[in-house]
Amino acid sequence: MTTIITRNTPYHETHQRQSASSHRSRKYNYSEIAHRTLHEGSSSSQTRPVTRNCIAINKAITQAKTTRQIWRIWHEGGRNFNYVNIATTLNRLARFGIASNDTSTINDISHTLLQDNASILKECGTQEIANIVNAFAKLGIQHDRLFQAAARCLLTSDARLLKSCNSQAIANIVNAFAKLGIQNDALFEAAARCLLASHARLLERCNSQEIANIVHAFAKLNIQNDALFQIVARCLLASDARLLKRCNSQDIANIVNAFAKLGIQNETLFAAAARCLLDSDARLLERCTSQAIANIVNAFAKLDIQNDALFAAAARCLLDSDARLLERCPPQAIANTVNAFAKLDIQNDALFEAAARCLLDSDAQLLERCTSQDIANIVNAFAKLGIQNDALFQAAAQRLLASDARLLKECTSQHIANIVNAFAKLRIQNDALFTAAAQCLLASEARLLKSCTSQAIANIVNAFAKLGIQNNALFEAVAQCVLASDAQLLKECTSQHIANIAWAFIINHYCHHDVLQRLLAECFVRTSEFSEEELWQLHQVWLSLSYEFPRTQVQWDLSLLVKIHKTILNPQTTASDLQNDIGVELHNLGIHFTTEKNIRGLPVDIVLEDKPVLIEVNGPYHYLRGTHTLDGRSKFKQRILEKIKYKVHTIPYWEWNNLSNTMEKQAYLQRLLQEESTR
């Protein structure tokens, strides 16, 4: 027969009937108390029996030394537990921890709290509710129904119970909900009102850890409350930042991370936090875990708050003792750390080299644990600071392509944009990766590509163009995004996006009349916005349309063309040592030439006099890294010069560097120009 357990008599009434001497007359051990309680409560009634031993039960629970002992008390006498006993049981279990096979008993306790319309839970005071939800959070056990019932209890009767909470109880409650990711905006809003009531009387009583837990909880569940955060900052900074100075390293990490996550700018608070971390030779910073350091630098970077001293000290902490702390970083912490340094443009080659070693050690074991976002952040950070690490990028590509590109398929459009842009920025060729990236973007009728921002699309097509990777299907899909009837993409475009997208189409030799017309039409209202670099890109679009696609009639804004013309008149170029060396040998051969000549706005290295012959001296930066393949820009330049009817000769740096003396160099040049010299 199933026994239905109900609650008839509140605990405080039962307790009033008990004689104080009955609890002092003898000492019970936990099993005696459990056994006695079980049998005293036995009844044929199908209601929860009244017991006079709740205090004794609590004592037994607190005296228990192991989880097994607590379980025994529950199994033998749990039907007689009141709300205090249950809260104490959960609190003690949270301290001890439980095995995975013990969750069924936790579920039994949860069921007891929720049965009969949560009658036992409704008897709880604020401290018991705080203990219950805090215990579940510490044990990492998700129980949405119980938490929502607890929230209802706290919010009933105009949040009467919540208003009776002290600062620690509120901190524990919101922290528990956040830790398990259980959203309840009404509870958090009411908690904020309680903290801010009466000129923030309750908030001002919070200690540093409670404040850290409160703001961390709001941020973790992405609950914006600017008024609360503003008063929190005021409390932390009051009396020469007395409360902030009492924070430990984890508290400071949680505080700045919370402000950053919700995008709440407070440079005074961040400056004070940095001072606390750096005081006494960065004593507090040195106590940080790797995760805390990652959170701190990530928070400063997210809000674009520059503090070179803090970042330098953070790097030293991570690199001390042969990068011991850095080696303990989880992959996300490494990704966030390097991303933060890159975002604020803080160069630290030693840190990045050590980060790469950590990621690649033991057959790239740490890199294997990276998510798609981690990899996107890592390669993007290295590329942004121009830090070459071919082994890391090769391993990252392998990780993204493994198991039928499973990880790459998990990427968002922004992740893919960051990844391909990073490879392109460092001129690292990986056709397999770019092909797979294009397939991901085009899958399901280009669903991912259609979700791209204008910046993401500009970065994607730019990356393909820079590396000279042809993918007509991708560019055609991009064209459809640009031409979409709602023109949402064009509405988002900045002058840089317009120039980048148009340039990418042209560099990749994919002329799409309608796309170029729409993009250039946008220039009419943005003429004043274009930077010098963007004007150079638009000039190359004009060159391509003039010489490669003369039948493509596109309307240009006259004032924009004037600006372009002024920009290209005097390109800033400098002859390299390699170019100067070649010039010396040409002069010794008696060949007349001009260097650094401007032909239709394209700077040309060497132009022979009285002949339409050019020599392009191609150093390493004309080629994809580690290859003899010209990059997209160099291919375009050669195409245009040939269309203008010049004979273009190229001298690759590796061929010239292999020549050991003047005789070999002159013989090389004579062979190169033999056709022209015999005319």
Side-chain angles (χ1 to χ4, degrees), residues 330-612:
Q332 186 182 28
I334 289 183
N336 286 348
T337 300
V338 296
N339 191 49
F341 275 75
K343 196 165 186 181
L344 294 180
D345 202 25
I346 298 173
Q347 196 88 21
N348 193 306
D349 290 354
L351 175 64
F352 275 65
E353 287 168 15
R357 281 198 305 273
C358 291
L359 291 164
L360 295 174
D361 273 354
S362 305
D363 294 326
Q365 190 175 18
L366 197 61
L367 193 65
E368 288 289 324
R369 289 165 47 199
C370 284
T371 64
S372 55
Q373 182 174 8
D374 294 337
I375 290 181
N377 285 348
I378 289 165
V379 296
N380 190 51
F382 275 74
K384 193 165 186 186
L385 294 180
I387 299 173
Q388 297 276 7
N389 193 303
D390 292 353
L392 175 63
F393 273 66
Q394 183 181 352
Q398 288 171 350
R399 171 82 177 107
L400 290 165
L401 294 172
S403 304
D404 192 29
R406 179 184 59 81
L407 202 61
L408 193 63
K409 290 172 183 175
E410 293 175 5
C411 285
T412 65
S413 54
Q414 188 60 57
H415 298 160
I416 290 180
N418 287 350
I419 289 165
V420 296
N421 190 50
F423 275 75
K425 201 163 189 179
L426 296 180
R427 301 176 297 106
I428 298 174
Q429 185 178 22
N430 194 305
D431 291 349
L433 175 64
F434 274 65
T435 299
Q439 288 169 351
C440 290
L441 290 166
L442 295 174
S444 304
E445 298 181 351
R447 178 183 57 82
L448 204 58
L449 189 66
K450 289 173 183 174
S451 71
C452 283
T453 62
S454 58
Q455 182 175 12
I457 282 193
N459 286 347
I460 289 165
V461 293
N462 239 348
F464 277 77
K466 282 179 182 176
L467 297 182
I469 299 174
Q470 299 283 124
N471 193 304
N472 291 348
L474 175 64
F475 276 72
E476 181 57 36
V478 168
Q480 297 312 310
C481 290
V482 172
L483 297 172
S485 56
D486 60 359
Q488 184 58 42
L489 192 71
L490 285 172
K491 291 173 189 173
E492 295 175 5
C493 279
T494 64
S495 59
Q496 183 183 27
H497 303 157
I498 290 169
N500 285 351
I501 294 170
W503 179 85
F505 270 77
I506 287 305
I507 294 298
N508 246 10
H509 210 238
Y510 193 80
C511 181
H512 195 295
H513 172 272
D514 292 344
V515 167
L516 293 173
Q517 183 64 62
R518 288 288 290 274
L519 290 171
L520 293 173
E522 286 293 312
C523 297
F524 279 73
V525 292
R526 302 172 188 263
T527 300
S528 61
E529 299 174 16
F530 289 98
S531 67
E532 187 171 305
E533 182 181 355
E534 291 154 17
L535 291 170
W536 272 100
Q537 287 181 314
L538 291 175
H539 170 63
Q540 290 173 56
V541 173
W542 181 85
L543 280 175
S544 179
L545 292 176
S546 299
Y547 291 98
E548 292 187 296
F549 305 102
R551 294 183 180 179
T552 303
Q553 299 298 314
V554 176
Q555 188 174 0
W556 287 79
D557 177 40
L558 183 59
S559 60
L560 179 63
L561 287 175
V562 170
K563 285 192 74 172
I564 291 172
H565 180 69
K566 288 179 180 178
T567 301
I568 67 169
L569 280 179
N570 297 301
Q572 301 298 312
T573 58
T574 305
S576 65
D577 291 341
L578 178 63
Q579 185 178 332
N580 289 334
D581 191 25
I582 291 169
V584 168
E585 300 305 336
L586 285 171
H587 180 75
N588 290 339
L589 286 171
I591 296 172
H592 300 287
F593 60 92
T594 304
T595 61
E596 298 302 316
K597 188 170 181 179
N598 185 344
I599 297 178
R600 303 290 195 279
L602 296 176
V604 178
D605 296 331
I606 296 171
V607 182
L608 270 58
E609 291 184 4
D610 302 324
K611 291 180 183 178

Side-chain angles (χ1 to χ4, degrees), residues 92-237:
R92 295 292 290 176
L93 289 172
R95 289 189 187 182
F96 290 138
I98 61 169
S100 57
N101 58 355
D102 288 335
T103 54
S104 61
T105 308
I106 290 287
N107 290 336
D108 188 30
I109 295 174
S110 307
H111 174 72
T112 302
L113 286 166
L114 290 172
Q115 69 183 359
D116 298 325
N117 196 25
S119 59
I120 295 180
L121 194 61
K122 288 173 182 176
E123 292 178 20
C124 288
T126 55
Q127 191 59 57
E128 287 77 32
I129 289 181
N131 284 349
I132 289 167
V133 296
N134 195 43
F136 273 81
K138 279 186 177 178
L139 293 171
I141 297 173
Q142 186 100 8
H143 201 303
D144 288 3
R145 188 162 156 250
L146 175 64
F147 272 63
Q148 300 302 352
R152 284 194 296 274
C153 291
L154 291 164
L155 295 173
T156 298
S157 302
D158 192 28
R160 179 184 56 81
L161 202 58
L162 191 64
K163 289 174 182 176
S164 70
C165 284
N166 60 24
S167 58
Q168 184 182 23
I170 288 184
N172 286 348
I173 289 166
V174 296
N175 191 50
F177 275 75
K179 198 167 186 179
L180 295 178
I182 299 173
Q183 198 87 21
N184 192 303
D185 292 356
L187 175 65
F188 275 66
E189 287 167 15
R193 285 196 299 272
C194 291
L195 290 165
L196 296 175
S198 303
H199 304 292
R201 179 180 55 83
L202 196 60
L203 190 62
E204 288 178 351
R205 291 180 180 177
C206 286
N207 61 33
S208 55
Q209 186 178 16
E210 289 162 7
I211 283 186
N213 287 348
I214 289 166
V215 294
H216 178 68
F218 274 75
K220 191 161 188 186
L221 295 181
N222 201 29
I223 297 173
Q224 198 89 22
N225 194 305
D226 291 351
L228 174 65
F229 275 67
Q230 184 181 349
I231 303 299
V232 162
R234 195 181 70 195
C235 291
L236 289 167
L237 294 171

